[in-house]
Amino acid sequence: MDYFLTDEQKMLKELARRIAEEHIIPIRAELDEKEEFPWEVMRVCGEAGLFGVSIPEEYGGSGGGVLETCLVVEELSRGCVGVAVSYAASSLCAYPILLYGTEEQKRRYLPEIASGRKLAAFGATEPNAGSDVAAMQTTAVKDGNGYVLNGTKQWITNGGEAEIYSVFAVTDKTKGPRGISGFIVEKGTPGFSFGKKEKKLGIRASATRELIFEDCWVPEENLIGGREGIGLIIILRTFDMTRPGIGAQAVGLAQGAFEVALKYARERIQFGQKIISFQAVQHMLADMATQIEAARALVYSVARYIDSHPRTFSKEAAMAKLFPSDVAMKVALDAVQILGGYGYMRDFPVEKMMRDAKILQIYEGTNQIQRNNIALELIKELASRRGR
């Protein structure tokens, strides 16, 4: 289908696809098996300018938006979601600074992220604050011209590998969710350490660790936006910007799994004929192709909508994460089914894709939470119409 991409967007998409073909696909099985962080691929992405696609030119980026990020993420995910999320996590960290940071913060940190010289990460989730992010317990207590952070963040993508972290902590417990603030914390800051690298079902190429803060002093100029109490707003707004990127990961993974299944179905012979001649397999492939195209159309549409509408878009962002991630899980399962016994073996990539797909329904808000968000926005819209 023609999604009316500009020449620049087509070139960006092709560049990301070439990186996936040349630098990710040949080593994805090894990265998965060894649970090895893809530093070489990150270097290639940095040299290609991919880390700056959604960062304005004045801060060292190329001035694109959510759509450009989705185009890159989709193609990298077609190769490996574990690699793609390692790339995408830097954008997740950059958005709080880009959307709410002071001018000094933007000029200090965004060029480092845009160039790929420093990897970045986002720290909100805690052991007892996952979907309920407002229940976080990490604290930041004012101390002179800075803040002392204490607490733990859990399941942080790029944890330990990244140099720059957007971290959220409670600065005023009496204010509940309005007492949360954001901070920029650099690796190497005294009192800031990391837990063990987690052993995961999928996305094993990515690094997932705890962030541990023990009397970690951060200067007040690292308070995102220069004011307390806007942390939860920053988190929610950031997720609205990045959830279509999860949808793009899902589209890329599903496309990759579909291509493997289609190729196999055209080659595998049973009962004297290629299995693609069987209607049962044809119907599976037809459904897979249709669902992928629908998911891609939704992601691109929502990304364009976000880039052109400077207002709330929580409902649309949730939809762009929910539907494609469910599609990715189904397509990956169907790909394994089409390959049969071979699909269950590590010699073929669909086994890995099936494991990788599950996280897309979990991180950045489970799909159950996305449904809650969508329903809440629908209720608000209905009340608004009745009030006219």
Side-chain angles (χ1 to χ4, degrees):
M1 292 181 64
D2 188 347
Y3 286 102
F4 305 103
L5 301 178
T6 65
D7 289 341
E8 290 79 9
Q9 289 167 341
K10 291 176 182 177
M11 289 173 61
L12 182 64
K13 186 175 173 68
E14 178 56 34
L15 173 60
R17 173 174 281 254
R18 192 163 67 249
I19 289 174
E21 290 284 348
E22 296 176 3
H23 297 279
I24 298 177
I25 291 176
I27 62 171
R28 64 185 174 189
E30 181 181 0
L31 292 175
D32 180 73
E33 184 69 26
K34 294 182 178 179
E35 303 185 21
E36 181 179 327
F37 191 80
W39 273 116
E40 179 60 24
V41 181
M42 295 301 100
R43 181 189 63 77
V44 171
C45 289
E47 291 176 351
L50 297 187
F51 281 101
V53 293
S54 60
I55 294 177
E57 294 180 4
E58 60 262 39
Y59 305 118
S62 53
V66 175
L67 178 57
E68 282 75 14
T69 299
C70 286
L71 295 175
V72 173
V73 168
E74 177 188 345
E75 292 301 334
L76 298 183
S77 298
R78 178 176 161 271
C80 175
V81 171
V83 173
V85 72
S86 302
Y87 158 82
S90 271
S91 292
L92 185 60
C93 171
Y95 269 117
I97 303 171
L98 181 60
L99 296 172
Y100 291 92
T102 64
E103 186 62 25
E104 180 183 350
Q105 290 168 350
K106 292 176 182 179
R107 295 198 177 280
R108 180 177 177 183
Y109 292 105
L110 292 181
E112 298 279 13
I113 296 173
S115 67
R117 289 190 298 268
K118 290 185 178 180
L119 208 60
F122 181 92
T125 301
E126 296 183 1
N128 294 311
S131 296
D132 184 11
V133 69
M136 69 174 61
Q137 298 174 355
T138 296
T139 59
V141 178
K142 193 75 171 69
D143 179 55
N145 59 346
Y147 293 82
V148 176
L149 274 62
N150 280 285
T152 302
K153 298 296 178 180
Q154 191 172 37
W155 302 320
I156 305 305
T157 301
N158 287 355
E161 309 294 333
E163 299 285 339
I164 302 169
Y165 296 79
S166 290
V167 175
F168 297 86
V170 178
T171 47
D172 189 341
K173 293 182 180 179
T174 66
K175 293 183 178 180
R178 295 183 179 180
I180 297 172
S181 304
F183 299 87
I184 304 168
V185 186
E186 297 183 49
K187 185 178 181 179
T189 302
F192 179 26
S193 61
F194 308 98
K196 64 179 178 62
K197 187 175 181 180
E198 301 289 354
K199 310 286 284 186
K200 305 190 295 292
L201 171 71
I203 58 168
R204 294 176 179 174
S206 70
T208 306
R209 291 186 177 91
E210 288 182 331
L211 310 183
I212 302 169
F213 301 95
E214 299 173 303
D215 294 330
C216 174
W217 189 85
V218 178
E220 60 185 8
E221 56 261 32
N222 284 27
L223 175 67
I224 298 177
R227 58 194 176 105
E228 298 181 5
I230 60 172
L232 186 60
I233 295 173
I234 295 174
I235 293 170
L236 297 179
R237 178 71 170 180
T238 295
F239 283 160
D240 284 348
M241 300 293 287
T242 60
R243 279 175 176 152
I246 306 298
Q249 290 178 34
V251 171
L253 182 149
Q255 184 66 43
F258 170 74
E259 290 172 2
V260 173
L262 180 63
K263 182 176 184 294
Y264 180 87
R266 294 179 63 184
E267 296 172 351
R268 175 68 167 170
I269 295 177
Q270 290 288 275
F271 305 102
Q273 53 189 312
K274 296 176 181 179
I275 65 171
I276 200 170
S277 66
F278 299 127
Q279 191 177 64
V281 174
Q282 291 175 356
H283 284 186
M284 290 177 72
L285 291 168
D287 286 344
M288 292 160 77
T290 302
Q291 291 157 3
I292 292 168
E293 209 60 65
R296 180 178 288 113
L298 177 60
V299 169
Y300 287 11
S301 177
V302 170
R304 279 197 171 101
Y305 181 70
I306 291 173
D307 287 336
S308 60
H309 288 75
R311 65 180 187 84
T312 59
F313 31 74
S314 296
K315 179 186 69 176
E316 293 79 11
M319 289 176 173
K321 193 264 188 191
L322 167 65
F323 180 73
S325 58
D326 281 350
V327 165
M329 191 73 248
K330 184 179 185 303
V331 168
L333 286 168
D334 285 348
V336 170
Q337 190 70 20
I338 288 173
L339 269 69
Y342 288 108
Y344 204 69
M345 300 298 118
R346 292 190 181 181
D347 294 336
F348 287 79
V350 291
E351 172 268 343
K352 171 188 176 301
M353 292 172 175
M354 182 181 72
R355 288 187 284 106
D356 287 349
K358 188 59 199 173
I359 193 61
L360 301 173
Q361 297 176 307
I362 298 174
Y363 61 21
E364 286 200 34
T366 66
N367 281 10
Q368 287 71 31
I369 290 295
Q370 304 312 315
R371 289 178 168 88
N372 287 351
N373 292 343
I374 294 166
L376 179 61
E377 293 301 319
L378 291 173
I379 293 169
K380 288 180 181 178
E381 290 173 5
L382 180 61
S384 177
R385 289 197 293 271
R386 286 178 173 175
R388 289 174 185 168

